[in-house]
Amino acid sequence: MNVGLIGFGTIGAGVVEIFNTNHDLIREKTGKDLKLKRVVDLDIETDRGVDIDPEILSTDADDILNDPEIDIVIELIGGYEPARSFILRALENGKHVVTANKALLARHWDEIMATARENGVRIAFEASVGGGIPVLRALNESLAANRIKSIYGIINGTANYILTRMASEGMEFDDVLREAQRLGYAERDPTFDIEGHDTAQKLIILALLGFGVYVPEEDLHVEGISKIRRDDIEYANNELGCSVKLLATASLDDGELEMGVMPFLVPHEHLLSSVNGVFNGIYITGDFTGPVMFYGKGAGRRATASAVVADCMDIALNPESPLQPGPGVRMVESIREFRETRSRYYIRLDAVDRPGVLHEIAGAFSRHEISIESVTQKGALEGESVPIYIVTHEAAEGDIQSAIREISEIRWVTGEPVRLKIL
């Protein structure tokens, strides 16, 4: 089977490296000779550090899309266009497609899957979530006998690296972000990672395979980590026995799906609490398996390329396999409004240390029927602003938001309060 690769960047170079290094192993495992026939990129002059026959390089995607001898097209250019057009043309021309493009899948899922079905070809996308972690295949195959009850994931290495460094070295967010950018763990514009959008796109794919429902990002509650301070992490760790993690969450309760992205306080005894640095962890609970944990490198040249080539091998082994990612039926009756979700909460606010302030704050919580579990105020001279740390009993998100809005209007409260759910 001939393979065409569109996108000879970091991951594409990893794909070439695997074909070079493990070509014989791939043939032994599939019984077919998977040959990289053509590699297309706008830049075919830069040395990628891998051996490649210059005769197979091209700058024209049509050399792959219109070649009747190419059976599988790998798309690794990312983004929406021209990636969408390339994938649709490949499918319409009867070619199987392998992609790592979570953004495209999250936005154009229905169109891409319908096109694949209409043309009797497969699209595989293991590398779109979790890099080299085989979590999508597990959801689609190994856990297929289960009704999935919940999926919790740390699936953005940049955000997890920042939170880990803040916790281990007592650094503030901005300082760690600059260091992460210097080391190449964060982009020059890190918004997509630190504000939760990358995590949300991956969650959409996980929910599709786990629950059979498509929820576009605009319908999700998505929060990032830029408002978290060092003292939030220190208080969570030292006083509450928790780590702060950016989580993608999706859980099904009596037909109602609750899903979103935001920072959580994760108890130290939970496996996700120990997922640190640039690593990813996905914690899935099935009705028969119970909890199952997937852990590994969520990005990077070699790990992600491994998943891409594995998808090619799966297509080589099962080219006629019907396209039916996910449970095949919608497991969800309705989507729970974010305001209706319930949790215990950690809330940090800054207020001037003076008589009566705590009474006003407590009154706001009481008026919204929120029960307080604990309040801690760090010492300061009277008249100075001081952080106040509050832990609530279980409450509705909408009530918490209303109480925080009221508290923010108190004259002596300074800055913007921060609230995090406790897993």
Side-chain angles (χ1 to χ4, degrees), residues 200 203 217-223 259-262 338 397 401 419:
L203 175 62
E217 186 177 352
E218 54 266 27
D219 292 343
L220 287 178
H221 180 84
V222 180
E223 287 184 47
M259 63 184 288
V261 175
M262 66 179 293
F338 181 66
E397 171 67 25
Q401 290 182 9
R419 63 92 182 84

Side-chain angles (χ1 to χ4, degrees), residues 158-176:
T158 299
N160 202 46
Y161 173 83
I162 291 172
L163 292 173
T164 300
R165 288 288 303 276
M166 289 176 71
S168 63
E169 300 183 30
M171 299 171 69
E172 289 291 359
F173 175 86
D174 289 340
D175 296 328
V176 179

Side-chain angles (χ1 to χ4, degrees), residues 211-350:
F211 304 105
V213 61
Y214 173 62
V215 182
E217 186 177 352
E218 54 266 27
D219 292 343
L220 287 178
H221 180 84
V222 180
E223 287 184 47
I225 63 172
S226 58
K227 296 178 182 177
I228 294 173
R229 297 192 319 212
R230 177 182 64 185
D231 60 320
D232 295 320
I233 290 177
E234 291 176 348
Y235 188 84
N237 182 63
N238 298 330
E239 305 296 330
L240 302 177
C242 294
S243 301
V244 179
K245 299 292 183 183
L246 181 65
L247 290 189
T249 65
S251 58
L252 190 62
D253 180 23
D254 196 24
E256 191 172 32
L257 182 66
E258 174 184 323
M259 63 184 288
V261 175
M262 66 179 293
F264 273 74
L265 267 62
V266 181
H268 287 160
E269 59 267 24
H270 196 291
L271 285 175
L272 286 174
S273 178
S274 62
V275 178
N276 291 318
V278 296
F279 281 82
N280 284 195
I282 303 100
Y283 188 91
I284 300 173
T285 302
D287 60 349
F288 277 82
T289 61
V292 180
M293 176 81 166
F294 297 84
Y295 171 85
K297 291 183 178 179
R301 169 171 148 169
R302 304 189 86 185
T304 307
S306 169
V308 170
V309 176
D311 275 346
C312 293
M313 294 171 66
D314 183 58
I315 289 172
L317 284 166
N318 306 290
E320 307 301 325
S321 177
L323 179 76
Q324 187 175 303
V329 294
R330 182 184 170 106
M331 312 296 292
V332 177
E333 296 175 8
S334 61
I335 307 296
R336 183 173 295 164
E337 292 289 333
F338 181 66
R339 288 180 55 85
E340 297 176 0
T341 62
R342 299 183 64 83
S343 175
R344 293 171 64 223
Y345 285 85
Y346 158 88
I347 297 166
R348 183 258 303 158
L349 51 91
D350 298 316

Side-chain angles (χ1 to χ4, degrees), residues 12 205 207 221-222 224 234 238 279 318 353 359 365 388 390 393 413:
I205 296 170
H221 180 84
V222 180
E234 291 176 348
N238 298 330
F279 281 82
N318 306 290
D353 187 14
H359 178 73
F365 283 115
I388 300 172
I390 298 168
H393 291 289
V413 172

